[in-house]
Amino acid sequence: MTMAGVSVGLLGLAIVASWWPSRAPGGAASAWVPPWCLLLVAAVLAGLIGGVLSWPALLPLAGFMCLGWLTQEWARSRWPVVVFGAMALALALHAFPWFQRVPVFEAVQLSAGAPSFALFASVDKALAGLGLLVWVCRRCSSLSEVITMLRATVPVLLLTVVAVLGLGVMSHAVHWDPKWPAQAPAFLAVNLLFTCVAEEAFFRGLLQARLTQALGASPLACWLPALVSAGLFGAVHLGGGWPLAVLAGVAGLGYAVAYARTRRIEAAILTHMAVNATHFLLFTYPALA
């Protein structure tokens, strides 16, 4: 494995480790270095050696993480979270030239009638997702919370999968195509940790959550944040055409409802991953040409 691959693997582990308790046993937070932080440092060092990051990338990365810390320390002030969100968006949109995409597998035709598909791991987008997870997203902190979250999420998850892929079939964007290609494990891991986590952490964990908080007891808080996050999620897919944007908007509404029912980021991530995994494994991927 190359150092670029090591960097991607360590970054994925850092994202997983963000669910590790933030305090040491006994509650001594000041003496506790979170595992995700150690893994992030190792991933960055491997990335610098492997050419995934250039040295100037350390400046926006350090600034991003410091802003994330300020969102907690200055919780009553709005500007840190606004700037932090803007910084996360800039990273996710590859605004900084010092981060390289790492190829996971080369272009291959996964479905008959579909164009070839190549997978890349976007390190800057994954770093944005990690920072959002750690500093602003509300996560499950116990087994009982996980069980409660799953009970509320599963019905929404199933309905979202059926709605999105049903519309995809009806619009002739995809058709039934069950498969388990050799690239499946890599796709599922990278899509979960580098795509679903980052997108849900931004659209639901930051945007929808903060808008709900801002509306407070207003009746609009019940539905407006979900519609806004879903609409913006669809809008960012306009580059693929209106049909894709509409499907993404429907999917985003499902993710938003899952989050609204639980107020836990895992609900949105699981629903998003269920749609993507079902699409990849059971239908034309990425779409009919």
Side-chain angles (χ1 to χ4, degrees):
M1 180 181 292
T2 64
M3 289 304 293
V6 171
S7 178
V8 168
L10 288 170
L11 183 53
L13 289 175
I15 292 170
V16 173
S18 67
W19 273 272
W20 194 267
S22 59
R23 292 178 178 269
S30 60
W32 178 248
V33 179
W36 69 264
C37 190
L38 298 175
L39 288 164
L40 173 60
V41 171
V44 168
L45 291 175
L48 291 170
I49 295 171
V52 177
L53 296 83
S54 302
W55 285 101
L58 298 182
L59 183 60
L61 177 57
F64 176 63
M65 289 298 174
C66 288
L67 282 169
W69 177 77
L70 286 176
T71 63
Q72 292 190 335
E73 294 299 309
W74 298 352
R76 294 184 180 181
S77 177
R78 291 185 179 180
W79 76 262
V81 73
V82 171
V83 179
F84 181 64
M87 192 77 170
L89 186 60
L91 283 167
L93 294 178
H94 320 299
F96 301 102
W98 309 299
F99 300 88
Q100 304 299 319
R101 294 196 307 165
V102 179
V104 178
F105 57 76
E106 296 181 357
V108 60
Q109 188 177 36
L110 295 166
S111 300
S116 297
F117 174 77
L119 181 65
F120 295 85
S122 297
V123 172
D124 42 4
K125 184 174 181 177
L127 288 168
L130 174 61
L132 289 166
L133 267 182
V134 169
W135 300 118
V136 303
C137 290
R138 189 174 182 184
R139 291 159 285 161
C140 294
S141 59
S142 66
L143 180 58
S144 62
E145 283 192 14
V146 172
I147 293 172
T148 301
M149 179 273 298
L150 288 174
R151 286 175 177 169
T153 301
V154 169
V156 179
L157 181 154
L158 295 174
L159 182 60
T160 303
V161 169
V162 171
V164 173
L165 293 168
L167 286 172
V169 171
M170 292 171 61
S171 63
H172 304 290
V174 298
H175 60 56
W176 180 251
D177 181 34
K179 56 191 173 299
W180 181 267
Q183 298 83 2
F187 173 87
L188 295 174
V190 172
N191 193 262
L192 171 62
L193 297 175
F194 283 60
T195 300
C196 296
V197 166
E199 292 178 0
E200 294 312 308
F202 180 80
F203 285 101
R204 259 55 69 173
L206 176 66
L207 182 63
Q208 184 174 337
R210 294 291 172 162
L211 185 54
T212 301
Q213 183 181 23
L215 291 173
S218 169
L220 295 175
C222 296
W223 55 271
L224 184 59
L227 286 181
V228 170
S229 72
L232 290 175
F233 185 75
V236 300
H237 289 82
L238 279 171
W242 278 102
L244 176 61
V246 171
L247 288 174
V250 173
L253 184 59
Y255 312 153
V257 171
Y259 181 78
R261 283 171 60 90
T262 62
R263 295 290 187 265
R264 297 294 185 275
I265 195 60
E266 293 89 349
I269 292 172
L270 288 174
T271 306
H272 193 157
M273 185 59 193
V275 170
N276 289 0
T278 304
H279 178 193
F280 182 84
L281 296 175
L282 298 180
F283 294 86
T284 308
Y285 199 88
L288 290 170

